[in-house]
Protein backbone atom coordinates (compact mmCIF):
# COMPACT_ATOMS: atom_id res chain seq x y z
CA UNK A 1 0.00 0.00 0.00
CA UNK A 2 1.50 3.37 -1.02
CA UNK A 3 1.94 6.13 1.51
CA UNK A 4 -0.41 9.07 1.51
CA UNK A 5 0.86 12.53 0.71
CA UNK A 6 1.98 14.30 3.88
CA UNK A 7 0.25 17.56 2.92
CA UNK A 8 -2.96 15.63 2.28
CA UNK A 9 -2.74 14.02 5.74
CA UNK A 10 -2.51 17.43 7.42
CA UNK A 11 -5.06 18.98 5.07
CA UNK A 12 -2.64 21.61 3.75
CA UNK A 13 -1.54 23.05 0.44
CA UNK A 14 2.09 22.63 -0.61
CA UNK A 15 2.67 26.34 -0.03
CA UNK A 16 1.85 26.06 3.69
CA UNK A 17 4.25 27.84 6.05
CA UNK A 18 5.79 26.43 9.24
CA UNK A 19 3.18 28.00 11.53
CA UNK A 20 0.34 26.52 9.45
CA UNK A 21 1.96 23.08 9.50
CA UNK A 22 2.30 23.15 13.28
CA UNK A 23 -1.26 24.38 13.76
CA UNK A 24 -2.68 21.68 11.47
CA UNK A 25 -0.74 18.93 13.23
CA UNK A 26 -1.80 20.12 16.67
CA UNK A 27 -5.47 20.03 15.60
CA UNK A 28 -5.26 16.48 14.20
CA UNK A 29 -3.21 15.23 17.17
CA UNK A 30 -5.70 16.67 19.63
CA UNK A 31 -8.76 15.27 17.83
CA UNK A 32 -7.21 11.80 17.45
CA UNK A 33 -5.39 11.60 20.79
CA UNK A 34 -5.58 8.01 22.17
CA UNK A 35 -7.13 9.14 25.47
CA UNK A 36 -10.02 10.73 23.55
CA UNK A 37 -10.47 7.77 21.19
CA UNK A 38 -9.91 4.62 23.23
CA UNK A 39 -10.39 1.51 21.12
CA UNK A 40 -10.61 3.51 17.87
CA UNK A 41 -7.89 2.01 15.65
CA UNK A 42 -8.65 4.43 12.81
CA UNK A 43 -7.97 7.42 15.06
CA UNK A 44 -4.79 5.78 16.38
CA UNK A 45 -3.51 5.21 12.84
CA UNK A 46 -4.20 8.82 11.88
CA UNK A 47 -2.52 9.97 15.10
CA UNK A 48 0.68 8.12 14.10
CA UNK A 49 0.38 9.05 10.41
CA UNK A 50 0.04 12.76 11.23
CA UNK A 51 3.11 12.60 13.51
CA UNK A 52 5.18 11.14 10.66
CA UNK A 53 3.97 13.87 8.31
CA UNK A 54 4.76 16.61 10.81
CA UNK A 55 8.19 15.15 11.57
CA UNK A 56 9.13 15.54 7.88
CA UNK A 57 7.40 18.84 7.05
CA UNK A 58 8.76 20.58 10.16
CA UNK A 59 12.34 19.50 9.40
CA UNK A 60 14.38 22.11 7.49
CA UNK A 61 16.45 19.37 5.78
CA UNK A 62 13.73 16.83 4.98
CA UNK A 63 10.97 19.17 3.81
CA UNK A 64 12.77 20.49 0.67
CA UNK A 65 13.68 16.93 -0.37
CA UNK A 66 10.10 15.76 0.12
CA UNK A 67 8.71 18.80 -1.75
CA UNK A 68 10.95 18.02 -4.76
CA UNK A 69 11.10 14.22 -4.85
CA UNK A 70 8.26 12.98 -2.65
CA UNK A 71 8.72 9.96 -0.35
CA UNK A 72 11.58 8.68 -2.52
CA UNK A 73 13.66 11.77 -1.78
CA UNK A 74 13.84 11.18 1.98
CA UNK A 75 16.44 8.43 1.79
CA UNK A 76 19.39 10.83 1.77
CA UNK A 77 18.03 12.63 4.85
CA UNK A 78 17.65 9.48 6.93
CA UNK A 79 14.07 8.75 5.89
CA UNK A 80 10.87 9.45 7.74
CA UNK A 81 10.43 7.98 11.21
CA UNK A 82 7.66 5.41 11.50
CA UNK A 83 6.01 5.68 14.92
CA UNK A 84 4.94 2.37 16.42
CA UNK A 85 3.04 3.74 19.41
CA UNK A 86 1.79 6.93 21.05
CA UNK A 87 4.55 6.98 23.67
CA UNK A 88 7.19 7.54 20.96
CA UNK A 89 5.18 10.49 19.67
CA UNK A 90 4.83 12.02 23.15
CA UNK A 91 8.57 11.71 23.61
CA UNK A 92 9.39 13.31 20.24
CA UNK A 93 6.84 16.14 20.24
CA UNK A 94 6.39 16.82 23.96
CA UNK A 95 6.25 20.58 23.48
CA UNK A 96 3.25 20.26 21.15
CA UNK A 97 1.23 18.33 23.73
CA UNK A 98 2.44 20.52 26.58
CA UNK A 99 0.59 23.44 25.01
CA UNK A 100 -2.86 21.92 25.54
CA UNK A 101 -2.32 19.22 28.18
CA UNK A 102 0.19 20.90 30.51
CA UNK A 103 2.98 18.30 30.31
CA UNK A 104 4.76 16.35 27.62
CA UNK A 105 2.94 13.07 28.25
CA UNK A 106 -0.11 14.48 26.46
CA UNK A 107 -2.46 13.71 29.33
CA UNK A 108 -1.22 10.17 29.92
CA UNK A 109 1.60 10.88 32.36
CA UNK A 110 4.22 9.49 30.00
CA UNK A 111 7.68 11.04 30.20
CA UNK A 112 8.96 13.98 32.17
CA UNK A 113 7.21 17.28 32.63
CA UNK A 114 8.74 20.22 30.80
CA UNK A 115 8.13 22.80 33.53
CA UNK A 116 7.68 26.42 32.51
CA UNK A 117 9.73 28.79 34.68
CA UNK A 118 7.85 30.88 37.22
CA UNK A 119 6.63 34.29 35.99
CA UNK A 120 7.68 37.25 38.13
CA UNK A 121 5.96 40.57 38.81
CA UNK A 122 7.42 43.98 39.63
CA UNK A 123 5.73 47.30 40.48
CA UNK A 124 7.54 50.27 38.91
CA UNK A 125 6.74 53.83 40.03
CA UNK A 126 7.21 56.51 37.36
CA UNK A 127 6.41 60.22 37.16
CA UNK A 128 3.41 61.64 35.30
CA UNK A 129 5.77 63.18 32.71
CA UNK A 130 7.55 59.86 32.12
CA UNK A 131 4.19 58.19 31.49
CA UNK A 132 3.37 60.86 28.89
CA UNK A 133 6.72 60.99 27.08
CA UNK A 134 8.21 57.55 27.85
CA UNK A 135 11.39 56.63 29.66
CA UNK A 136 13.85 53.82 30.31
CA UNK A 137 14.34 52.57 33.85
CA UNK A 138 16.73 50.01 35.30
CA UNK A 139 15.17 47.71 37.87
CA UNK A 140 16.85 45.25 40.22
CA UNK A 141 15.33 42.07 41.63
CA UNK A 142 16.25 38.57 42.78
CA UNK A 143 15.21 35.55 40.74
CA UNK A 144 15.95 31.85 40.56
CA UNK A 145 18.31 30.74 37.82
CA UNK A 146 19.86 27.45 36.73
CA UNK A 147 22.23 26.18 39.44
CA UNK A 148 25.84 26.62 38.30
CA UNK A 149 27.10 23.67 40.33
CA UNK A 150 24.86 20.97 38.86
CA UNK A 151 23.91 22.90 35.68
CA UNK A 152 20.24 22.44 36.47
CA UNK A 153 20.28 18.66 36.86
CA UNK A 154 19.71 18.82 40.62
CA UNK A 155 22.16 15.92 41.13
CA UNK A 156 25.66 15.83 42.58
CA UNK A 157 28.53 15.50 40.13
CA UNK A 158 28.97 11.89 39.05
CA UNK A 159 25.47 10.85 40.12
CA UNK A 160 22.44 10.42 37.92
CA UNK A 161 18.73 10.56 38.37
CA UNK A 162 16.90 7.25 38.38
CA UNK A 163 13.43 6.27 37.28
CA UNK A 164 11.01 6.84 40.14
CA UNK A 165 10.09 3.51 41.75
CA UNK A 166 6.73 4.72 43.00
CA UNK A 167 5.32 5.64 39.58
CA UNK A 168 7.65 3.55 37.39
CA UNK A 169 8.96 6.66 35.63
CA UNK A 170 5.52 7.79 34.38
CA UNK A 171 5.19 10.79 36.69
CA UNK A 172 1.60 9.76 37.52
CA UNK A 173 0.15 7.29 39.99
CA UNK A 174 -3.33 5.79 40.08
CA UNK A 175 -5.18 5.87 43.39
CA UNK A 176 -8.34 3.93 44.17
CA UNK A 177 -11.08 5.76 46.06
CA UNK A 178 -14.00 3.43 46.58
CA UNK A 179 -15.44 2.61 43.17
CA UNK A 180 -13.36 5.34 41.50
CA UNK A 181 -9.81 5.24 40.18
CA UNK A 182 -8.03 8.63 40.07
CA UNK A 183 -4.78 9.39 38.25
CA UNK A 184 -2.69 12.05 39.99
CA UNK A 185 0.84 13.48 40.10
CA UNK A 186 3.35 11.20 41.78
CA UNK A 187 4.13 12.58 45.29
CA UNK A 188 7.70 11.27 45.26
CA UNK A 189 9.00 12.67 41.94
CA UNK A 190 6.34 15.41 41.64
CA UNK A 191 5.45 14.33 38.14
CA UNK A 192 8.97 14.33 36.71
CA UNK A 193 9.19 10.56 36.44
CA UNK A 194 12.75 10.61 37.79
CA UNK A 195 14.05 10.41 41.33
CA UNK A 196 17.28 12.01 42.59
CA UNK A 197 19.06 9.83 45.20
CA UNK A 198 22.04 12.25 45.53
CA UNK A 199 20.76 15.83 45.32
CA UNK A 200 23.11 18.74 44.65
CA UNK A 201 24.18 20.30 47.96
CA UNK A 202 24.06 23.86 46.65
CA UNK A 203 20.51 23.82 45.29
CA UNK A 204 19.25 20.85 47.37
CA UNK A 205 18.13 19.04 44.26
CA UNK A 206 15.96 21.82 42.83
CA UNK A 207 18.41 22.61 40.01
CA UNK A 208 17.92 26.31 40.77
CA UNK A 209 19.87 28.99 42.61
CA UNK A 210 19.23 32.66 43.40
CA UNK A 211 20.76 35.58 41.50
CA UNK A 212 20.50 39.35 41.72
CA UNK A 213 19.40 40.63 38.32
CA UNK A 214 19.38 44.08 36.73
CA UNK A 215 17.14 44.70 33.72
CA UNK A 216 16.39 47.82 31.69
CA UNK A 217 12.68 48.44 31.15
CA UNK A 218 11.66 50.59 28.18
CA UNK A 219 8.44 52.45 29.00
CA UNK A 220 6.70 53.68 25.82
CA UNK A 221 5.10 57.14 25.63
CA UNK A 222 1.42 57.29 26.56
CA UNK A 223 1.22 54.50 29.15
CA UNK A 224 -1.34 54.83 31.92
CA UNK A 225 -1.79 53.76 35.51
CA UNK A 226 -1.53 49.95 35.93
CA UNK A 227 -0.25 49.41 32.37
CA UNK A 228 1.54 46.04 32.38
CA UNK A 229 4.70 45.49 30.36
CA UNK A 230 5.99 41.98 29.58
CA UNK A 231 9.69 41.10 29.37
CA UNK A 232 9.82 37.64 27.82
CA UNK A 233 12.32 35.21 29.29
CA UNK A 234 13.26 37.47 32.21
CA UNK A 235 11.39 35.36 34.76
CA UNK A 236 12.76 32.37 36.65
CA UNK A 237 14.46 29.38 35.07
CA UNK A 238 12.31 26.35 34.42
CA UNK A 239 13.07 22.66 34.83
CA UNK A 240 15.44 21.14 32.25
CA UNK A 241 13.68 21.29 28.88
CA UNK A 242 11.29 24.00 30.00
CA UNK A 243 11.50 27.63 28.96
CA UNK A 244 12.25 30.66 31.11
CA UNK A 245 9.36 32.42 32.79
CA UNK A 246 8.44 36.03 32.00
CA UNK A 247 8.70 39.26 33.98
CA UNK A 248 5.56 41.38 34.25
CA UNK A 249 6.18 45.04 35.14
CA UNK A 250 3.12 46.94 36.39
CA UNK A 251 3.39 50.73 36.22
CA UNK A 252 2.38 52.98 39.10
CA UNK A 253 2.02 56.51 37.68
CA UNK A 254 2.36 59.37 40.17
CA UNK A 255 -0.25 62.12 40.17
CA UNK A 256 0.61 65.58 38.82
CA UNK A 257 -0.10 68.76 40.82
CA UNK A 258 -1.56 70.58 37.78
CA UNK A 259 -2.70 68.03 35.19
CA UNK A 260 -4.95 65.01 35.05
CA UNK A 261 -5.81 62.70 32.16
CA UNK A 262 -8.83 61.00 30.65
CA UNK A 263 -7.72 58.48 28.04
CA UNK A 264 -5.61 60.51 25.58
CA UNK A 265 -6.92 63.91 26.72
CA UNK A 266 -4.87 66.01 29.16
CA UNK A 267 -6.80 68.36 31.47
CA UNK A 268 -5.91 71.38 33.61
CA UNK A 269 -7.69 74.27 35.34
CA UNK A 270 -7.12 77.79 34.01
CA UNK A 271 -7.75 80.59 36.50
CA UNK A 272 -8.40 84.03 34.99
CA UNK A 273 -9.41 87.37 36.47
CA UNK A 274 -12.82 88.95 36.24
CA UNK A 275 -11.53 91.65 33.90
CA UNK A 276 -9.76 89.12 31.65
CA UNK A 277 -13.02 87.21 31.39
CA UNK A 278 -14.96 90.37 30.57
CA UNK A 279 -12.52 92.01 28.18
CA UNK A 280 -10.79 88.95 26.71
CA UNK A 281 -7.03 88.41 26.82
CA UNK A 282 -4.03 86.80 25.24
CA UNK A 283 -2.28 84.60 27.79
CA UNK A 284 0.79 82.43 28.08
CA UNK A 285 0.08 79.05 29.71
CA UNK A 286 2.44 76.24 30.65
CA UNK A 287 1.95 72.83 29.03
CA UNK A 288 4.00 69.67 29.48
CA UNK A 289 5.77 70.67 26.24
CA UNK A 290 6.54 74.24 27.31
CA UNK A 291 4.82 77.62 27.07
CA UNK A 292 1.88 78.13 24.67
CA UNK A 293 -0.11 81.27 23.71
CA UNK A 294 -3.93 81.12 23.92
CA UNK A 295 -6.72 83.59 23.19
CA UNK A 296 -9.42 84.10 25.83
CA UNK A 297 -12.55 85.47 24.18
CA UNK A 298 -14.59 88.31 25.68
CA UNK A 299 -17.34 87.25 28.06
CA UNK A 300 -15.99 83.74 28.74
CA UNK A 301 -17.65 82.04 31.72
CA UNK A 302 -16.56 79.69 34.48
CA UNK A 303 -16.95 76.10 33.28
CA UNK A 304 -16.18 76.78 29.65
CA UNK A 305 -13.14 75.10 28.09
CA UNK A 306 -10.28 76.02 25.81
CA UNK A 307 -8.50 73.41 23.71
CA UNK A 308 -4.84 73.24 22.63
CA UNK A 309 -4.44 70.67 19.86
CA UNK A 310 -1.93 67.82 20.12
CA UNK A 311 -0.62 68.75 23.56
CA UNK A 312 -2.31 65.85 25.31
CA UNK A 313 -1.34 62.19 25.75
CA UNK A 314 0.37 60.26 22.93
CA UNK A 315 -1.16 57.00 21.74
CA UNK A 316 1.11 54.10 22.68
CA UNK A 317 3.25 53.04 19.70
CA UNK A 318 1.59 55.66 17.49
CA UNK A 319 2.24 59.19 16.22
CA UNK A 320 -1.26 60.28 17.23
CA UNK A 321 -1.74 62.50 20.26
CA UNK A 322 -4.68 63.87 22.21
CA UNK A 323 -5.40 67.48 23.15
CA UNK A 324 -4.90 69.65 26.24
CA UNK A 325 -8.24 70.89 27.58
CA UNK A 326 -8.21 73.94 29.88
CA UNK A 327 -11.19 74.33 32.22
CA UNK A 328 -11.82 78.05 32.80
CA UNK A 329 -12.38 79.35 36.32
CA UNK A 330 -13.15 83.08 36.72
CA UNK A 331 -11.78 84.28 40.05
CA UNK A 332 -13.66 87.04 41.89
CA UNK A 333 -11.38 89.41 43.83
CA UNK A 334 -11.76 89.09 47.61
CA UNK A 335 -10.23 92.44 48.58
CA UNK A 336 -10.83 95.74 46.74
CA UNK A 337 -9.49 99.24 47.23
CA UNK A 338 -11.92 102.13 47.64
CA UNK A 339 -11.38 103.23 44.09
CA UNK A 340 -11.94 99.66 42.75
CA UNK A 341 -15.11 99.36 44.80
CA UNK A 342 -16.39 102.73 43.55
CA UNK A 343 -15.74 101.80 39.93
CA UNK A 344 -17.51 98.47 40.28
CA UNK A 345 -20.49 100.12 41.97
CA UNK A 346 -20.74 102.51 39.05
CA UNK A 347 -20.49 99.58 36.62
CA UNK A 348 -23.24 97.70 38.45
CA UNK A 349 -25.47 100.78 38.40
CA UNK A 350 -24.90 101.29 34.66
CA UNK A 351 -25.67 97.60 34.03
CA UNK A 352 -28.89 97.71 36.04
CA UNK A 353 -27.66 95.06 38.47
CA UNK A 354 -30.13 95.56 41.31
CA UNK A 355 -31.81 92.21 42.00
CA UNK A 356 -30.42 88.67 41.66
CA UNK A 357 -32.24 86.27 39.32
CA UNK A 358 -32.29 82.51 39.01
CA UNK A 359 -31.25 80.85 35.75
CA UNK A 360 -31.58 77.40 34.26
CA UNK A 361 -29.07 74.84 35.45
CA UNK A 362 -25.73 75.26 33.68
CA UNK A 363 -25.43 73.00 30.67
CA UNK A 364 -29.16 72.77 29.93
CA UNK A 365 -30.63 74.46 26.91
Amino acid sequence: MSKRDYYEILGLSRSAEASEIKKAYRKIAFENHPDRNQGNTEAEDLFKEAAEAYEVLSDAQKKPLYDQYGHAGLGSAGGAHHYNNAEEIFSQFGDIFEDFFGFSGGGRGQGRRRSHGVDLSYNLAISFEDAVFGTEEEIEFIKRVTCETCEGSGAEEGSQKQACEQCGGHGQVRMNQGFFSVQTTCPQCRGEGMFNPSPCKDCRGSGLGEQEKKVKVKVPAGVDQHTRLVLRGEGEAGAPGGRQGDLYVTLQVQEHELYWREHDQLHASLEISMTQAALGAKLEVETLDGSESIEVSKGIQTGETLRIKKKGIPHVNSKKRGDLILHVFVKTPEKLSRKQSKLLEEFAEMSGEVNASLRKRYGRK
Side-chain angles (χ1 to χ4, degrees):
M1 181 178 176
S2 60
K3 282 190 175 184
R4 280 207 297 157
D5 180 80
Y6 288 148
Y7 289 99
E8 180 189 335
I9 293 170
L10 299 182
L12 297 169
S13 68
R14 303 189 80 83
S15 61
E17 297 183 356
S19 60
E20 295 176 280
I21 294 170
K22 184 175 182 178
K23 184 178 180 180
Y25 172 60
R26 284 180 55 175
K27 183 176 184 295
I28 293 175
F30 181 74
E31 291 174 349
N32 295 276
H33 190 281
D35 283 353
R36 294 167 57 92
N37 300 273
Q38 294 185 12
N40 187 337
T41 56
E42 186 178 340
E44 184 178 353
D45 289 341
L46 183 54
F47 185 70
K48 290 186 284 188
E49 196 176 30
E52 182 179 324
Y54 178 69
E55 187 261 329
V56 170
L57 298 183
S58 63
D59 190 298
Q61 183 182 3
K62 293 180 180 179
K63 184 178 181 297
L65 293 172
Y66 179 76
D67 288 345
Q68 188 169 0
Y69 303 108
H71 294 290
L74 296 174
S76 59
H81 185 84
H82 177 71
Y83 294 95
N84 295 306
N85 52 58
E87 281 66 35
E88 288 185 27
I89 298 172
F90 297 146
S91 176
Q92 178 69 17
F93 305 120
D95 58 331
I96 298 286
F97 296 99
E98 186 176 11
D99 288 344
F100 48 72
F101 287 111
F103 51 87
S104 62
R108 299 172 62 124
Q110 308 293 336
R112 303 181 185 180
R113 291 186 304 173
R114 301 166 62 86
S115 178
H116 177 291
V118 174
D119 293 332
L120 298 177
S121 60
Y122 188 99
N123 291 330
L124 176 62
I126 60 174
S127 69
F128 190 89
E129 290 88 340
D130 285 341
V132 174
F133 298 113
T135 185
E136 186 173 83
E137 298 282 344
E138 185 174 71
I139 63 174
E140 189 172 338
F141 58 99
I142 295 175
K143 72 174 188 176
R144 293 194 298 173
V145 297
T146 301
C147 174
E148 294 181 357
T149 304
C150 65
E151 297 180 343
S153 69
E156 280 191 349
E157 187 177 356
S159 67
Q160 292 182 344
K161 290 186 177 182
Q162 302 173 3
C164 176
E165 296 179 357
Q166 189 162 341
C167 65
H170 297 299
Q172 303 280 308
V173 292
R174 191 171 293 279
M175 301 176 64
N176 294 319
Q177 297 180 353
F179 293 103
F180 299 97
S181 180
V182 180
Q183 186 170 286
T184 185
T185 302
C186 174
Q188 179 166 299
C189 67
R190 298 180 181 178
E192 187 180 354
M194 304 294 285
F195 179 69
N196 191 357
S198 303
C200 170
K201 293 179 180 178
D202 287 345
C203 66
R204 298 181 181 179
S206 69
L208 300 171
E210 288 191 346
Q211 184 185 74
E212 195 174 85
K213 181 78 174 179
K214 291 182 179 180
V215 174
K216 287 187 177 180
V217 180
K218 189 173 182 179
V219 180
V223 295
D224 203 352
Q225 178 78 302
H226 304 312
T227 295
R228 193 166 72 160
L229 308 175
V230 184
L231 279 68
R232 299 294 181 194
E234 291 294 349
E236 295 191 342
R243 74 172 184 86
Q244 292 269 122
D246 301 322
L247 173 63
Y248 291 86
V249 179
T250 302
L251 301 179
Q252 307 292 336
V253 181
Q254 299 168 357
E255 290 187 356
H256 198 280
E257 61 180 355
L258 298 178
Y259 304 100
W260 70 94
R261 68 179 287 178
E262 292 179 2
H263 306 294
D264 65 346
Q265 307 287 54
L266 189 63
H267 295 261
S269 293
L270 177 66
E271 184 180 284
I272 62 174
S273 70
M274 185 174 63
T275 53
Q276 286 172 333
L279 302 174
K282 185 175 182 179
L283 304 175
E284 291 287 321
V285 296
E286 284 298 317
T287 74
L288 289 176
D289 297 85
S291 183
E292 287 281 334
S293 295
I294 60 166
E295 292 279 350
V296 177
S297 59
K298 294 179 181 180
I300 195 167
Q301 302 293 320
T302 292
E304 293 189 44
T305 59
L306 301 172
R307 184 182 296 263
I308 304 179
K309 294 284 189 178
K310 298 182 180 180
K311 295 298 177 183
I313 309 296
H315 294 202
V316 178
N317 299 321
S318 170
K319 293 182 179 179
K320 292 183 179 180
R321 189 171 178 180
D323 302 330
L324 169 60
I325 299 173
L326 301 173
H327 298 260
V328 176
F329 174 76
V330 181
K331 184 173 175 59
T332 304
E334 296 177 4
K335 293 182 179 180
L336 297 171
S337 66
R338 261 186 207 178
K339 188 174 182 179
Q340 288 172 325
S341 296
K342 183 68 176 173
L343 290 170
L344 284 176
E345 285 171 5
E346 291 178 5
F347 175 79
E349 195 173 324
M350 292 172 63
S351 302
E353 296 176 6
V354 179
N355 297 315
S357 61
L358 297 178
R359 59 173 289 179
K360 290 182 179 180
R361 197 171 75 188
Y362 180 79
R364 284 196 174 184
K365 295 182 179 179

